[in-house]
Short mmCIF file of all heavy atoms in Angstrom, two decimals:
data_model
loop_
_atom_site.label_atom_id
_atom_site.label_comp_id
_atom_site.label_asym_id
_atom_site.label_seq_id
_atom_site.Cartn_x
_atom_site.Cartn_y
_atom_site.Cartn_z
N PHE A 178 10.36 28.85 34.57
CA PHE A 178 9.04 28.66 33.99
C PHE A 178 8.01 29.15 35.03
O PHE A 178 8.30 29.25 36.24
CB PHE A 178 8.76 27.24 33.61
CG PHE A 178 8.86 26.23 34.72
CD1 PHE A 178 7.79 25.95 35.54
CD2 PHE A 178 10.05 25.52 34.95
CE1 PHE A 178 7.86 25.00 36.56
CE2 PHE A 178 10.16 24.60 35.99
CZ PHE A 178 9.05 24.32 36.80
N SER A 179 6.80 29.43 34.57
CA SER A 179 5.69 29.84 35.42
C SER A 179 4.60 28.81 35.24
O SER A 179 4.02 28.67 34.15
CB SER A 179 5.20 31.24 35.05
OG SER A 179 4.28 31.73 35.99
N SER A 180 4.31 28.08 36.27
CA SER A 180 3.46 26.89 36.20
C SER A 180 2.00 27.23 36.51
O SER A 180 1.70 27.79 37.54
CB SER A 180 3.96 25.85 37.18
OG SER A 180 3.00 24.81 37.35
N ASN A 181 1.10 26.81 35.63
CA ASN A 181 -0.31 26.92 35.90
C ASN A 181 -0.79 25.86 36.90
O ASN A 181 -1.52 26.20 37.85
CB ASN A 181 -1.12 26.89 34.63
CG ASN A 181 -2.61 27.05 34.84
OD1 ASN A 181 -3.35 26.08 34.97
ND2 ASN A 181 -3.05 28.30 34.91
N PRO A 182 -0.41 24.59 36.76
CA PRO A 182 -0.90 23.59 37.71
C PRO A 182 -0.51 23.91 39.15
O PRO A 182 -1.28 23.66 40.07
CB PRO A 182 -0.26 22.30 37.21
CG PRO A 182 0.04 22.50 35.79
CD PRO A 182 0.36 23.99 35.65
N ASP A 183 0.71 24.44 39.36
CA ASP A 183 1.20 24.65 40.73
C ASP A 183 1.15 26.15 41.11
O ASP A 183 1.52 26.49 42.23
CB ASP A 183 2.61 24.08 40.87
CG ASP A 183 2.60 22.57 40.82
OD1 ASP A 183 2.08 21.97 41.78
OD2 ASP A 183 3.06 22.00 39.83
N GLN A 184 0.75 27.02 40.19
CA GLN A 184 0.59 28.43 40.46
C GLN A 184 1.84 29.03 41.10
O GLN A 184 1.81 29.65 42.20
CB GLN A 184 -0.63 28.65 41.34
CG GLN A 184 -1.95 28.53 40.57
CD GLN A 184 -2.11 29.56 39.49
OE1 GLN A 184 -2.07 30.75 39.74
NE2 GLN A 184 -2.27 29.12 38.24
N LEU A 185 2.97 28.88 40.43
CA LEU A 185 4.21 29.43 40.93
C LEU A 185 5.20 29.63 39.81
O LEU A 185 5.03 29.06 38.72
CB LEU A 185 4.83 28.59 42.04
CG LEU A 185 5.06 27.08 41.76
CD1 LEU A 185 6.28 26.82 40.89
CD2 LEU A 185 5.20 26.32 43.06
N MET A 186 6.25 30.39 40.07
CA MET A 186 7.38 30.47 39.20
C MET A 186 8.53 29.68 39.81
O MET A 186 8.76 29.70 41.00
CB MET A 186 7.85 31.92 39.03
CG MET A 186 9.05 32.08 38.07
SD MET A 186 9.70 33.76 38.01
CE MET A 186 10.45 33.92 39.66
N ALA A 187 9.27 28.96 38.95
CA ALA A 187 10.39 28.15 39.40
C ALA A 187 11.63 28.55 38.64
O ALA A 187 11.56 28.77 37.42
CB ALA A 187 10.09 26.68 39.26
N ILE A 188 12.73 28.61 39.35
CA ILE A 188 14.02 28.92 38.73
C ILE A 188 15.02 27.88 39.18
O ILE A 188 15.15 27.59 40.38
CB ILE A 188 14.56 30.31 39.12
CG1 ILE A 188 13.51 31.39 38.88
CG2 ILE A 188 15.85 30.64 38.41
CD1 ILE A 188 13.90 32.75 39.43
N LYS A 189 15.75 27.31 38.22
CA LYS A 189 16.82 26.39 38.57
C LYS A 189 18.15 27.00 38.05
O LYS A 189 18.26 27.35 36.89
CB LYS A 189 16.60 25.02 37.89
CG LYS A 189 17.67 23.98 38.16
CD LYS A 189 17.35 22.68 37.44
CE LYS A 189 18.41 21.64 37.70
NZ LYS A 189 18.09 20.33 37.02
N ILE A 190 19.13 27.10 38.96
CA ILE A 190 20.42 27.72 38.63
C ILE A 190 21.48 26.63 38.88
O ILE A 190 21.56 26.04 39.95
CB ILE A 190 20.69 28.95 39.50
CG1 ILE A 190 19.55 29.94 39.40
CG2 ILE A 190 22.00 29.58 39.09
CD1 ILE A 190 19.64 31.12 40.33
#
Side-chain angles (χ1 to χ4, degrees):
F178 61 86
S179 189
S180 167
N181 181 266
D183 292 291
Q184 286 296 303
L185 54 78
M186 181 187 69
I188 307 173
K189 180 180 180 180
I190 306 173

